[in-house]
Amino acid sequence: MADEKELRYDPATIEPKWQKRWAADPKLYAAEPATSGKPKYYVLEMLPYPSGQLHMGHVRNYSIGDALARHMWMRGYNVLHPMGWDAFGLPAENAALKNHTPPREWTLSNIAGMKRQFERLGMGFDWATEVTTCLPDYYRWNQWFFLRMYERGLAYRKKSKVNWCPECATVLANEQVIDGCCWRHEGTMVEQRDLVQWFFRITAYAQELLDGLDKLDGWPEKVRTMQRNWIGRSEGTEVDFFLEEINQGSGIREQGTGNRDQGSEKTRIRVFTTRVDTIFGATSVQLAPQHALVAAFTAADSKLKAQVDELIEQQKKAREAGDLGAIEKHGVATGRFAVNPYNGEHVPIWVANYILADYGTGAIMSVPGHDERDFEFAAKYGLPIVEVIRPAGQDSPAELPFVSEDGVLVNSGEYSGLSCEAAQKKLQEVAALGAFGEPKVTFRLKDWGVSRQRYWGTPIPMIHCERDGIVPVPDEQLPVLLPEQIEITQQGGSPLARVPEFVNVTCPQCGGPAKRETDTMDTFVDSSWYFYRYTDAKNSKAPFDPAIAQYWFPIDQYIGGVEHAILHLIYSRFWTRVMRDLGLVKNDEPVFRQFSQGMVIKDGAKMSKSKGNVVSPDDMVARFGADSARMYSLFAAPPDRDIDWQEDGVAGVSRFLGRVWRLVTKHAAAARNGRGQSTAAPTGLSLKLLRKLHQTTAKITLDFEGRWHFNTCVAAIMELVNDLQAADAQLTAGEVPATAMWELLRTLVLLLAPFAPYLAAELWEELGEEGAILRAPWPESDPGLAREDEIEIPVQINGKLITLVRVAAGADPKAIEAAALADEKVQSRSAGKTVVKVIVVPGRTVNLVVK
RNA sequence: GCGAAAGUGGCGGAAUUGGCAGACGCACCAGACUUAGGAUCUGGCGGAGCAAUCCAUGGGGGUUCGAGUCCCCCCUUUCGCACCA
């Protein structure tokens, strides 16, 4: 025997040894070209932000993906398993302020450190296709896409109310505002500011993005629901109420905003409703406090103005508290009236704090009889409540508000008697004929605001010329490079605006003096298409070669945190459609199957710096080894659930790997003697162990095919090892032939390979195998061998378990019944009673119904 | 308020099709061994009971020969949405 030290499983020796060997073999994890003849498999995990440290959430995410990638390699697939860095973003600027390290330097050094962590963890990434989004060879294509989108009217500039985070000193997209606060600064209220911004016209694809969700059945329903909610389609009707001209000459006509369409803007109020069938029940019209018409009303009425200002203030407060839904309804009557275009009825015009200016037309018709909110409001202010819909087939009114669409119209003039659905259609037709309304689809989804007043992002490739206006940077001048030596501050707009060498350019059209756009792009632009770049990462002529992308896309399996369910995943789906319309790709969707893994929890809370419950991967690797840390993150719970990080659990996995190591090293010599030979008709202990082996193989193989309960895969391997260990004395005594030993140990190592790649590589070599275990075929389970020949069947009397009987595996119901009835316990329990019925489920159970 | 997921030993979890509840691991208890280690090995480990046996999957009903699993009502937790007209 070798000296004592070698008798211990020592990941600190094994893992660096293999890490070095793998690093020396760049082809190991490299994807092959389309001509490989193998089926392709693109497995992708979301790329990390290079903060400087991997955290346990990363370890978990990448352990899942790496296990899958390794399994697919062993199944003979051509696997693309790339990695990159979401490398632009504000933390680099904050670090620059704090440490006086330039963002680029800080970012690249973080990347180097995290790459070392990845390699130490033994992640099988093809670094040859690494993508780093902050480097010009990547972000130039952001600019190129921006220009293509500008040409197609998909990128445009407008002045609008935007979300401004005072902490970030930049604007945020709607998607980045959570409960009224910045997504990066939980306690920081987002302010509303008026700014000119660049937008991507994602709304042009709203319907398609919604429809596409139906086909994404490889996505979690939860994610699809979140996206549906976010897109927020609602189908309805826009209808004009006419403004009743009271107090003639008092000024409606003379006042107002001026440059809008005179007629429609001032004499009509356009409302959006999904229930035009209830319009005969409208007893008021409600305007958002910011509605243009309100300004016209208040201009001549300072008392009204004060009241409206109060409504605006209430709305603002509620919005900032992130609880717009809980706002206490307040309203104020304007004293004006509007005319219902269908029946000529005059209804009062109110201004209310629960009406949103930026949804629909910013005005509604209030139908208290058939809408909860309108009912509440009308009850509070004593407005009339009218029944216009009655449940189908009923003679008496339902209790109001009755909001169902399953009903017929009453009190609705010539439309009475129509079903809700028929009435909606009819009323829309009438509105169209009378030119006072039309069917309308409204989306909650807004265009994607991409301008950021920050330095560390992709410069927007536009030039402002005094003569020619906005001029795109010509393609041949790309990339517009970020200047390197600049002073980072967080005040007074974009840092780039203070770099004259950057700002001052000549206009590409007239050659005169001009200024560059100084805003940079939202970093979600980077992550919207990075996975295409992986397929052709070195291309300097195009973002990627469409033919190569077509081979790899769509991504077969994407794995990441559920926190990206809307932002990143909806932008990516949008971007893919834009690229499709540019002719770059043929797929509509980037991702075929999407998986959202659970969070890593410690002491009841998500691991985070602020909670002080962070466990460092480096620490875990140093103490237990990468294999143990990875395997624990798979063993603790199924991948879609949150896992509870328990250090004793990691130690337990580490002990288990130690048992595997000892078992295999101890019997490796015996196994090598049976190398390459198949076991002929095993019997006794060999049969028992091989049966367990083949059952384990079948179970793990099945799980990789979809269920992904890797926790039970690890448990199954543990059971197998427990069985082998229990037979250790017999194995040592040579009771199991070498051929069987060979199959047992070799297959065990193969099964372990996706979960504990270092140990598997070490033991693979220990068994005398050459070449990477990744290239070895995944073991196949022999169903004949896996099948038990004798099974235990539970016997119940009246549904209660009495005993177990042993029968042959294929025993027919008669034989099972006979065995059950012959059992001693069964006989004593049923003595003196009548067996009324016997239920036999072959292979499962026997139940005697006894009286 | 609406929607989804979940609730099983001291803990993480298992039970894939309605068929032995608690696999596997942690913690704990007892023992063995010792080169005294973050070791290893053996056994035990839901509750009550000497035992036979009984009770037990958030609570209450139901369907069924049989329910952790299906149906109804309720409670709790997490997540998403929330005056979106």
Side-chain angles (χ1 to χ4, degrees):
Chain A
M1 274 267 132
D3 80 9
E4 302 133 29
K5 266 206 169 145
E6 280 185 41
L7 289 173
R8 287 185 62 99
Y9 165 55
D10 183 19
T13 309
I14 294 172
E15 295 184 353
K17 166 183 146 189
W18 285 97
Q19 190 188 329
K20 222 170 136 187
R21 289 212 208 164
W22 293 341
D25 181 5
K27 285 265 174 281
L28 186 63
Y29 302 121
E32 295 171 52
T35 51
S36 74
K38 299 175 182 174
K40 69 97 182 175
Y41 197 83
Y42 188 173
V43 52
L44 181 69
E45 298 106 65
M46 288 180 184
L47 82 178
Y49 177 79
S51 61
Q53 283 287 317
L54 288 177
H55 53 70
M56 277 304 164
H58 290 128
V59 172
R60 187 177 192 205
N61 188 182
Y62 302 123
S63 295
I64 295 167
D66 199 44
L68 179 64
R70 287 173 186 276
H71 175 75
M72 295 311 279
W73 266 307
M74 294 172 79
R75 293 284 286 268
Y77 283 80
N78 181 20
V79 177
L80 177 60
H81 189 216
M83 189 42 65
W85 311 97
D86 190 14
F88 271 138
L90 203 51
E93 289 181 61
N94 295 337
L97 277 169
K98 214 172 142 193
N99 316 323
H100 305 286
T101 321
R104 181 187 159 96
E105 205 175 288
W106 181 84
T107 304
L108 294 181
S109 110
N110 284 347
I111 287 174
M114 289 170 76
K115 196 167 170 180
R116 272 195 300 277
Q117 289 183 296
F118 269 135
E119 286 172 337
R120 183 62 189 81
L121 283 164
M123 295 296 170
F125 297 129
D126 180 6
W127 290 109
T129 63
E130 179 178 3
V131 163
T132 304
T133 61
C134 68
L135 298 179
D137 69 346
Y138 184 79
Y139 72 67
R140 69 174 292 175
W141 300 111
N142 286 343
Q143 296 170 341
W144 184 87
F145 279 120
F146 191 102
L147 294 171
R148 300 293 83 78
M149 285 160 82
Y150 179 74
E151 287 160 7
R152 297 179 156 246
L154 292 173
Y156 68 97
R157 229 162 82 104
K158 72 171 180 201
K159 184 172 182 177
S160 76
K161 282 230 183 316
V162 293
N163 310 300
W164 177 270
C165 172
E167 200 71 34
C168 300
T170 185
V171 301
L172 302 174
N174 290 334
E175 290 81 352
Q176 291 163 339
V177 180
I178 294 153
D179 293 339
C181 292
C182 173
W183 67 311
R184 278 285 169 70
H185 301 98
E186 264 177 55
T188 306
M189 291 291 184
V190 167
E191 301 166 3
Q192 300 295 308
R193 289 198 181 180
D194 264 318
L195 285 174
V196 179
Q197 301 284 300
W198 285 97
F199 287 84
F200 286 154
R201 207 178 296 278
I202 191 171
T203 54
Y205 292 86
Q207 187 65 51
E208 214 199 312
L209 288 168
L210 182 66
D211 293 342
L213 290 171
D214 295 337
K215 286 171 238 152
L216 291 177
D217 44 21
W219 284 41
E221 197 50 54
K222 179 186 163 86
V223 173
R224 293 201 281 173
T225 303
M226 284 167 76
Q227 292 209 357
R228 278 194 196 100
N229 287 341
W230 188 261
I231 294 168
R233 181 185 199 271
S234 67
E235 216 172 284
T237 313
E238 283 189 0
V239 181
D240 293 327
F241 278 67
F242 301 98
L243 198 60
E244 179 191 73
E245 307 223 3
I246 50 164
N247 304 334
Q248 288 85 352
S250 78
I252 302 303
R253 283 192 181 283
E254 287 78 38
Q255 295 156 9
T257 50
N259 61 355
R260 308 292 279 269
D261 178 349
Q262 299 277 327
S264 63
E265 191 68 15
K266 289 190 196 154
T267 61
R268 300 178 176 205
I269 301 172
R270 175 153 281 220
V271 304
F272 174 68
T273 176
T274 55
R275 292 297 304 277
V276 70
D277 53 310
T278 65
I279 197 164
F280 279 71
T283 58
S284 67
V285 162
Q286 304 281 344
L287 305 179
Q290 301 85 350
H291 194 278
L293 209 51
V294 175
F297 292 160
T298 55
D301 187 341
S302 59
K303 192 173 150 221
L304 183 63
K305 181 161 187 346
Q307 289 171 314
V308 167
D309 285 347
E310 202 172 315
L311 296 175
I312 292 176
E313 191 55 33
Q314 289 159 0
Q315 205 177 68
K316 195 179 153 201
K317 277 216 179 93
R319 203 184 280 270
E320 283 175 355
D323 210 4
L324 201 58
I327 194 170
E328 202 195 325
K329 288 183 183 57
H330 287 292
V332 51
T334 61
R336 318 280 175 141
F337 287 80
V339 182
N340 185 328
Y342 288 98
N343 61 7
E345 198 177 315
H346 292 222
V347 296
I349 301 172
W350 285 62
V351 183
N353 63 358
Y354 71 98
I355 307 301
L356 307 173
D358 59 357
Y359 185 79
T361 59
I364 64 153
M365 63 178 197
S366 178
V367 185
H370 303 282
D371 183 282
E372 300 273 4
R373 298 154 299 180
D374 296 346
F375 184 87
E376 188 193 330
F377 190 87
K380 178 171 179 176
Y381 288 100
L383 291 163
I385 297 165
V386 181
E387 185 215 17
V388 290
I389 307 289
R390 191 165 291 186
Q394 276 190 27
D395 296 333
S396 53
E399 192 190 334
L400 300 182
F402 174 70
V403 298
S404 166
E405 281 189 58
D406 187 15
V408 292
L409 275 66
V410 294
N411 304 324
S412 297
E414 58 187 296
Y415 308 100
S416 294
L418 290 177
S419 70
C420 291
E421 202 190 332
Q424 285 175 14
K425 217 174 148 215
K426 181 74 187 164
L427 289 161
Q428 283 179 344
E429 285 165 14
V430 170
L433 282 174
F436 58 81
E438 60 199 345
K440 180 82 180 181
V441 175
T442 300
F443 291 95
R444 205 185 79 124
L445 181 74
K446 300 274 184 293
D447 277 339
W448 175 12
V450 294
S451 294
R452 295 292 180 272
Q453 291 71 48
R454 299 310 325 152
Y455 162 69
W456 194 233
T458 305
I460 291 173
M462 288 289 165
I463 289 166
H464 303 274
C465 170
E466 272 179 38
R467 245 190 64 174
D468 298 325
I470 292 177
V471 180
V473 173
D475 278 8
E476 58 276 14
Q477 288 179 22
L478 297 185
V480 176
L481 289 171
L482 268 181
E484 291 284 328
Q485 304 297 329
I486 78 140
E487 190 206 344
I488 307 279
T489 71
Q490 283 207 347
Q491 278 103 43
S494 174
L496 289 175
R498 286 188 303 274
V499 183
E501 312 86 90
F502 178 82
V503 173
N504 298 317
V505 286
T506 52
C507 171
Q509 265 174 36
C510 66
K515 293 192 184 307
R516 279 197 195 282
E517 172 68 56
T518 55
D519 284 354
T520 52
M521 296 184 207
D522 182 8
T523 56
F524 277 100
V525 169
D526 308 325
S527 53
S528 291
W529 69 280
Y530 74 102
F531 32 65
Y532 288 93
R533 183 72 180 170
Y534 283 142
T535 65
D536 192 17
K538 300 283 187 276
N539 198 323
S540 59
K541 302 275 187 292
F544 54 86
D545 179 340
I548 300 176
Q550 202 191 330
Y551 170 72
W552 286 108
F553 270 79
I555 294 163
D556 295 277
Q557 183 67 61
Y558 198 21
I559 305 165
V562 75
E563 65 271 23
H564 295 109
I566 27 191
L567 293 149
H568 163 58
L569 288 174
I570 213 162
Y571 294 146
S572 296
R573 298 180 59 227
F574 160 65
W575 206 280
T576 286
R577 283 168 171 80
V578 171
M579 295 201 306
R580 178 201 61 198
D581 293 346
L582 289 169
L584 282 169
V585 301
K586 293 210 161 70
N587 47 302
D588 296 324
E589 295 285 350
V591 175
F592 178 65
R593 272 173 61 111
Q594 144 69 24
F595 186 88
S596 300
Q597 95 269 6
M599 291 185 298
V600 178
I601 305 285
K602 182 141 188 292
D603 308 327
K606 184 182 176 178
M607 272 192 197
S608 72
K609 266 188 210 148
S610 56
K611 301 246 167 57
N613 60 352
V614 174
V615 175
S616 147
D618 286 349
D619 184 43
M620 286 294 123
V621 167
R623 290 161 63 198
F624 302 106
D627 279 344
S628 296
R630 291 175 57 154
M631 202 151 156
Y632 175 74
S633 79
L634 297 174
F635 179 58
D640 56 337
R641 274 216 241 170
D642 290 350
I643 62 169
D644 196 42
W645 194 267
Q646 296 186 355
E647 208 160 290
D648 287 335
V650 190
V653 169
S654 176
R655 282 200 292 273
F656 164 69
L657 292 177
R659 286 205 297 280
V660 177
W661 183 88
R662 280 193 300 278
L663 179 79
V664 176
T665 47
K666 182 173 176 189
H667 300 289
R672 278 197 297 259
N673 290 334
R675 190 172 176 195
Q677 302 167 50
S678 58
T679 319
T683 55
L685 181 60
S686 302
L687 176 61
K688 187 176 159 243
L689 293 174
L690 284 166
R691 175 166 289 150
K692 182 75 179 177
L693 179 78
H694 281 259
Q695 288 168 351
T696 307
T697 304
K699 189 254 176 302
I700 295 174
T701 307
L702 185 66
D703 252 305
F704 267 114
E705 274 159 16
R707 200 176 72 133
W708 277 24
H709 279 203
F710 298 132
N711 55 329
T712 63
C713 292
V714 174
I717 298 174
M718 287 173 169
E719 283 186 51
L720 172 64
V721 170
N722 288 348
D723 280 9
L724 288 165
Q725 199 175 306
D728 188 65
Q730 292 100 308
L731 298 183
T732 308
E735 285 179 31
V736 167
T739 53
M741 285 297 286
W742 167 252
E743 185 180 349
L744 285 164
L745 298 188
R746 183 177 184 275
T747 308
L748 166 64
V749 170
L750 287 168
L751 294 176
L752 203 59
F755 309 112
Y758 282 120
L759 180 60
E762 175 74 8
L763 296 177
W764 189 244
E765 188 176 62
E766 184 71 22
L767 289 170
E769 290 282 6
E770 284 170 14
I773 191 168
L774 270 189
R775 305 281 175 251
W778 182 253
E780 275 185 42
S781 172
D782 175 349
L785 198 45
R787 195 179 310 119
E788 300 283 353
D789 41 29
E790 209 179 40
I791 54 172
E792 283 194 317
I793 294 213
V795 182
Q796 301 172 352
I797 292 182
N798 294 337
K800 293 210 168 187
L801 179 71
I802 301 304
T803 188
L804 302 173
V805 291
R806 291 197 73 84
V807 297
D812 60 53
K814 283 253 152 53
I816 295 171
E817 183 180 336
L821 289 170
D823 184 87
E824 236 173 70
K825 268 193 186 165
V826 173
Q827 291 194 340
S828 71
R829 282 299 202 98
S830 57
K833 292 172 181 165
T834 322
V835 178
V836 183
K837 196 175 171 188
V838 180
I839 293 127
V840 180
V841 185
R844 289 286 191 184
T845 189
V846 181
N847 192 9
L848 310 174
V849 186
V850 161
K851 265 189 195 158

